[in-house]
Amino acid sequence: MRVYNFNPGPSTLPTEVLEKVQAELLDYQGKGLSVMEMSHRSPEFSDILARAKQNLRDVMKINDNYEILFLQGGASLQFFMLPMNFLSPETKADYIDTGSWASKAVKEARPFGSINVIFSGKNENYSRIPSWNNLPFSDDALYCHITSNNTIYGTQYKDYGNPGGPKLVADMSSDIMTRSFDIEKFSMIYAGAQKNLGPSGVTLVIIRKDFAAKAKSDIPTLLQYKTHIEKDSLYNTPPTFAIYLVMCITEWAVKKGGIDALEKECRVKAGMVYETVDGTDFYIPTASKDSRSLTNITFRLKNEALEKIFIEEAKKEKLIGLKGHRSVGGIRVSNYSAMSLKGIQTLVDFMKDFEKRNT
Amino acid sequence: MRVYNFNPGPSTLPTEVLEKVQAELLDYQGKGLSVMEMSHRSPEFSDILARAKQNLRDVMKINDNYEILFLQGGASLQFFMLPMNFLSPETKADYIDTGSWASKAVKEARPFGSINVIFSGKNENYSRIPSWNNLPFSDDALYCHITSNNTIYGTQYKDYGNPGGPKLVADMSSDIMTRSFDIEKFSMIYAGAQKNLGPSGVTLVIIRKDFAAKAKSDIPTLLQYKTHIEKDSLYNTPPTFAIYLVMCITEWAVKKGGIDALEKECRVKAGMVYETVDGTDFYIPTASKDSRSLTNITFRLKNEALEKIFIEEAKKEKLIGLKGHRSVGGIRVSNYSAMSLKGIQTLVDFMKDFEKRNT
């Protein structure tokens, strides 16, 4: 029996997608070989790549001003690839520090240009997202970097208002394909696939063409955005099987009804958990109410000694991966697109029952 | 029915391994989730990682002077990561240019230090590997970079004699785990997994500890070998499913009898193809006899117009992926570890029959 998997990433994938992948693992569409064994330059893989891209455009409403790339190295590689491509000692970018990953992005960018951290939530234990109003944007920043959702702290931008600021670059690793956004507000979006898009090992980059045109060419070939745009993500051997999974999962997302349907379901599921947390003082939410994440819901138990027991007893109900990040403790419910309503209902029932048994 | 897949990479994988992967795709060892859905910090994945490393040590006789790392980005990322970690404008490395990939390694290294190309086969259409004797090694090179096997040109080093030269760094992407070597001759070995070790998307790096100790720390965190050594390949989310495949395939290699058994079989299979090519003037081998590759066997047809027909008719016998690289043309037989003796026998029978029908 499959468990309800609340791991923050790598994380749960749709069972029906895994069943399809399983069925064709040794023989893709009667070709007599696995997708893993195919040349990345074969017509079959070209089709997989093209469909993955088109599905992403369809689901997230990405227009032709933007290129879609599949890279390797995770968000951590983008932390330095981005500034290496666009900054120099004479130029500047704004960064908003809303958590551990945002802070790593700042650290890796510093050697490449002038980095202006226009907000840091560090002294507030990263419990909130700043309001877009009154942020001290630089006049001459080439971009403003944000982390759209903070997996560890359970916070998330409610909108991308950004009045008066430069176009955004967002690390959307933990909430991409869970809610709609206006792509035109962004110069670039990147996301490790392993939360909402597929397995680990492939990184989605959505980059605005006129932004990419300003990228450097005097850096290692593999680290140039231009290389991957020119070669359509086939400069070197891409992670073919991971891209195939992205194709399958985005196909599933299309069938679900696209981003609006996914967002609606995500909000319903998150609402069920937050309602349970808010309806008692047995559970204590950790993120500011106005900054709560839809994809990573974090809370403590009033009696922190019970947290270990909560996690152990949840496992018996097939609810796994609920332990909060080691840097903050407590409980974390990762509510990605592939988490079923039934999984959330089972969790909420368990939470209520656990409370009853322990008060 | 499964085809005989001679693709140069991504390439054929052992059917029995794929069957095992298929069987546990939705439920790994009764845990109720796929390997793709597991946290990379879970006990289950820690075990997969540890077993993959130990299998590699066992199969290839890698001693404890060396670290084993799983990175992303393919050999192409190592082309600049290596010199970025070890070179500076004042220091030097020797490079031997035996093909397109070796030449790319040279190009990506140049910005980081003094690169001394001590042999280039470019003017001979990369048809041979130089003899180790009389190579003009630099007195002060920090390493000598080689490409152990040239997938495109069908050439391969017969030994790693290297008298009087610095320790080697080898790109072994296309012949790792097909023949034995003395690890002590190397400061570092790297290999994209997609030919002999697994699917694309994971890069094996075997690095000598005292060499790694000299690597830089003032470069992006993800590009430091030290980062991955300290964090045991878990600095950021690794390509977990690809590493799991490496574990499965190295387990299969252990059962086969390790490197000596793999090499013996590789030589038998390659011998069957070369014997067929040499026994006629219908087929014309392209690599120098003393430099012939065991893993990529390249030849032309005397009547080049027949090559397209050869490839098309081979497909009807379920023999696929035989087309030579677009830069050289002709036929290429990729004879990696997972290619069965039966596949090679079927190919050789076809070659003889094709010759008979066309002379």
Side-chain angles (χ1 to χ4, degrees):
Chain A
M1 188 204 156
R2 301 251 303 156
V3 294
Y4 298 113
N5 176 4
F6 294 94
N7 274 316
S11 47
T12 193
L13 298 170
T15 300
E16 64 197 84
V17 168
L18 289 176
E19 282 167 350
K20 172 186 146 80
V21 170
Q22 183 179 45
E24 62 193 21
L25 195 81
L26 276 87
D27 186 0
Y28 179 70
Q29 298 192 342
K31 300 289 177 188
L33 74 173
S34 175
V35 172
M36 277 184 255
E37 300 172 287
M38 274 177 195
S39 169
H40 53 297
R41 305 200 186 278
S42 64
E44 292 79 16
F45 185 74
S46 296
D47 177 60
I48 287 170
L49 185 67
R51 283 164 64 193
K53 286 168 63 178
Q54 192 57 51
N55 290 346
L56 285 162
R57 285 194 190 277
D58 292 347
V59 172
M60 294 196 285
K61 301 168 189 168
I62 311 297
N63 65 48
D64 284 343
N65 292 335
Y66 294 81
E67 297 278 357
I68 292 184
L69 308 175
F70 297 104
L71 307 185
Q72 296 185 58
S76 296
L77 194 144
Q78 296 306 308
F79 292 168
F80 63 85
M81 184 167 165
L82 168 73
M84 188 187 270
N85 269 268
F86 293 102
L87 298 184
S88 57
E90 303 76 36
T91 58
K92 190 182 283 182
D94 289 343
Y95 275 69
I96 300 182
D97 174 20
T98 54
S100 302
W101 298 106
S103 164
K104 283 191 186 183
V106 169
K107 175 174 174 268
E108 298 296 326
R110 287 205 189 279
F112 298 99
S114 177
I115 302 302
N116 188 15
V117 179
I118 59 173
F119 172 86
S120 175
K122 194 171 181 186
N123 292 337
E124 303 167 66
N125 202 25
Y126 291 127
S127 61
R128 72 179 179 95
I129 300 292
S131 160
W132 286 111
N133 301 313
N134 309 317
L135 280 176
F137 294 111
S138 309
D139 289 337
D140 50 355
L142 297 183
Y143 60 82
C144 174
H145 182 278
I146 64 167
T147 309
S148 62
N149 181 78
N150 301 282
T151 330
I152 296 175
Y153 303 94
T155 61
Q156 185 179 39
Y157 286 82
K158 294 294 113 176
D159 65 79
Y160 300 114
N162 189 24
K167 269 198 203 292
L168 301 171
V169 172
D171 175 359
M172 282 199 187
S173 294
S174 52
D175 67 354
I176 196 156
M177 221 172 76
T178 63
R179 58 179 180 142
S180 63
F181 56 83
D182 175 10
I183 185 67
E184 289 288 338
K185 288 190 177 283
F186 297 87
S187 282
M188 189 175 115
I189 288 169
Y190 62 93
Q194 66 269 17
K195 296 170 196 290
N196 287 289
L197 293 176
S200 62
V202 60
T203 315
L204 173 68
V205 170
I206 305 170
I207 188 166
R208 205 176 155 84
K209 289 174 185 171
D210 58 9
F211 183 64
K214 294 176 205 142
K216 290 191 191 164
S217 303
D218 59 351
I219 56 177
T221 311
L222 194 74
L223 295 177
Q224 296 174 31
Y225 290 110
K226 284 178 182 169
T227 300
H228 301 290
I229 291 171
E230 276 169 24
K231 301 290 186 180
D232 193 17
S233 302
L234 294 173
Y235 168 69
N236 66 337
T237 314
T240 52
F241 195 71
I243 293 172
Y244 158 70
L245 258 293
V246 172
M247 180 201 81
C248 296
I249 286 162
T250 49
E251 194 174 276
W252 167 88
V254 169
K255 277 188 203 149
K256 277 267 212 183
I259 200 67
D260 297 327
L262 290 167
E263 175 167 348
K264 192 175 165 193
E265 191 172 305
C266 185
R267 287 187 184 279
V268 167
K269 290 184 296 167
M272 288 163 69
V273 181
Y274 281 121
E275 200 182 337
T276 308
V277 169
D278 287 339
T280 169
D281 59 0
F282 185 82
Y283 299 111
I284 318 280
T286 54
S288 285
K289 204 159 188 172
D290 59 0
S291 302
R292 284 176 170 181
S293 169
L294 297 171
T295 50
N296 304 96
I297 301 160
T298 53
F299 55 89
R300 306 292 312 228
L301 269 62
K302 190 175 179 184
N303 177 357
E304 292 183 9
L306 283 174
E307 287 170 351
K308 211 177 152 184
I309 301 166
F310 178 98
I311 290 161
E312 284 309 311
E313 291 192 4
K315 277 184 194 159
K316 290 177 196 154
E317 304 298 317
K318 303 273 178 200
L319 303 158
I320 74 149
L322 289 165
K323 196 176 172 192
H325 190 269
R326 58 194 182 283
S327 65
V328 297
I331 309 296
R332 169 170 53 185
V333 178
S334 292
N335 172 41
Y336 300 132
S337 295
M339 174 50 63
S340 64
L341 198 62
K342 194 172 167 213
I344 294 288
Q345 188 60 58
T346 306
L347 171 70
V348 163
D349 291 346
F350 167 77
M351 285 172 69
K352 288 176 178 163
D353 183 59
F354 186 84
E355 180 185 347
K356 202 177 292 173
R357 286 186 286 108
N358 289 280
T359 39
Chain B
M1 187 205 157
R2 301 252 302 157
V3 295
Y4 298 113
N5 175 4
F6 294 95
N7 273 315
S11 48
T12 192
L13 297 170
T15 300
E16 64 196 84
V17 168
L18 289 176
E19 283 168 349
K20 172 187 146 82
V21 169
Q22 183 179 45
E24 59 193 23
L25 194 82
L26 277 88
D27 186 359
Y28 179 70
Q29 297 193 341
K31 299 288 176 187
L33 74 173
S34 175
V35 172
M36 278 185 254
E37 301 171 286
M38 275 178 194
S39 169
H40 53 297
R41 305 200 187 278
S42 64
E44 291 80 15
F45 185 74
S46 297
D47 177 60
I48 287 170
L49 184 67
R51 283 165 63 194
K53 287 168 61 177
Q54 191 57 51
N55 290 346
L56 285 162
R57 285 194 189 277
D58 292 348
V59 172
M60 293 196 285
K61 302 170 188 167
I62 311 298
N63 65 48
D64 284 344
N65 292 334
Y66 294 81
E67 297 279 356
I68 293 184
L69 307 175
F70 297 104
L71 307 185
Q72 295 186 58
S76 296
L77 194 143
Q78 295 306 309
F79 293 169
F80 64 85
M81 184 166 166
L82 168 74
M84 187 187 270
N85 269 266
F86 293 103
L87 298 183
S88 57
E90 303 76 35
T91 59
K92 189 182 283 181
D94 289 343
Y95 275 70
I96 300 181
D97 173 19
T98 54
S100 302
W101 298 106
S103 164
K104 284 192 185 182
V106 169
K107 176 174 173 268
E108 299 296 326
R110 287 205 190 277
F112 298 100
S114 177
I115 303 302
N116 187 16
V117 178
I118 59 172
F119 171 87
S120 174
K122 194 172 181 184
N123 292 336
E124 302 168 69
N125 202 26
Y126 292 126
S127 61
R128 70 178 180 97
I129 299 293
S131 159
W132 286 111
N133 300 313
N134 308 318
L135 281 175
F137 294 111
S138 308
D139 288 336
D140 50 354
L142 297 183
Y143 59 82
C144 173
H145 182 278
I146 64 168
T147 309
S148 61
N149 181 80
N150 301 282
T151 330
I152 296 176
Y153 303 94
T155 61
Q156 184 179 40
Y157 286 81
K158 295 293 113 176
D159 66 79
Y160 299 115
N162 189 24
K167 269 197 203 293
L168 302 171
V169 171
D171 175 359
M172 282 200 187
S173 293
S174 53
D175 67 353
I176 197 157
M177 221 171 76
T178 63
R179 59 179 180 142
S180 63
F181 56 83
D182 175 10
I183 184 67
E184 289 288 336
K185 288 190 177 284
F186 298 87
S187 282
M188 190 175 114
I189 289 168
Y190 62 93
Q194 66 268 16
K195 296 170 197 288
N196 287 289
L197 293 176
S200 62
V202 60
T203 314
L204 173 67
V205 170
I206 305 171
I207 189 166
R208 204 177 156 84
K209 289 175 185 172
D210 57 9
F211 183 64
K214 295 176 205 143
K216 290 191 191 162
S217 303
D218 59 350
I219 56 177
T221 311
L222 195 73
L223 294 177
Q224 297 173 31
Y225 290 109
K226 284 178 183 168
T227 301
H228 302 288
I229 292 171
E230 275 167 24
K231 300 290 188 182
D232 193 17
S233 301
L234 295 172
Y235 168 70
N236 66 338
T237 314
T240 52
F241 195 70
I243 293 172
Y244 158 69
L245 258 294
V246 172
M247 180 201 80
C248 296
I249 286 162
T250 49
E251 193 173 277
W252 167 87
V254 169
K255 277 188 205 149
K256 278 267 213 182
I259 200 66
D260 297 325
L262 290 166
E263 176 168 347
K264 194 174 162 191
E265 191 171 305
C266 186
R267 287 187 184 278
V268 167
K269 290 184 298 166
M272 288 163 68
V273 182
Y274 281 122
E275 201 182 338
T276 308
V277 170
D278 287 339
T280 169
D281 60 359
F282 186 82
Y283 299 111
I284 318 278
T286 53
S288 285
K289 204 158 188 173
D290 59 0
S291 301
R292 285 175 168 181
S293 168
L294 297 171
T295 50
N296 304 96
I297 301 160
T298 54
F299 56 90
R300 307 291 313 228
L301 268 62
K302 191 175 179 183
N303 177 356
E304 291 182 9
L306 284 174
E307 287 171 351
K308 212 177 152 184
I309 301 165
F310 178 98
I311 290 160
E312 284 310 310
E313 291 192 4
K315 276 184 195 158
K316 290 177 197 154
E317 305 297 319
K318 304 275 179 198
L319 302 159
I320 73 150
L322 288 165
K323 196 175 170 193
H325 190 270
R326 60 194 182 283
S327 65
V328 297
I331 309 296
R332 170 170 53 184
V333 178
S334 292
N335 172 42
Y336 300 132
S337 296
M339 174 50 64
S340 65
L341 198 63
K342 194 172 168 213
I344 294 288
Q345 188 60 59
T346 305
L347 171 71
V348 164
D349 291 346
F350 168 77
M351 285 172 68
K352 288 176 178 163
D353 183 59
F354 186 84
E355 180 185 345
K356 202 175 291 173
R357 286 186 287 108
N358 289 282
T359 37

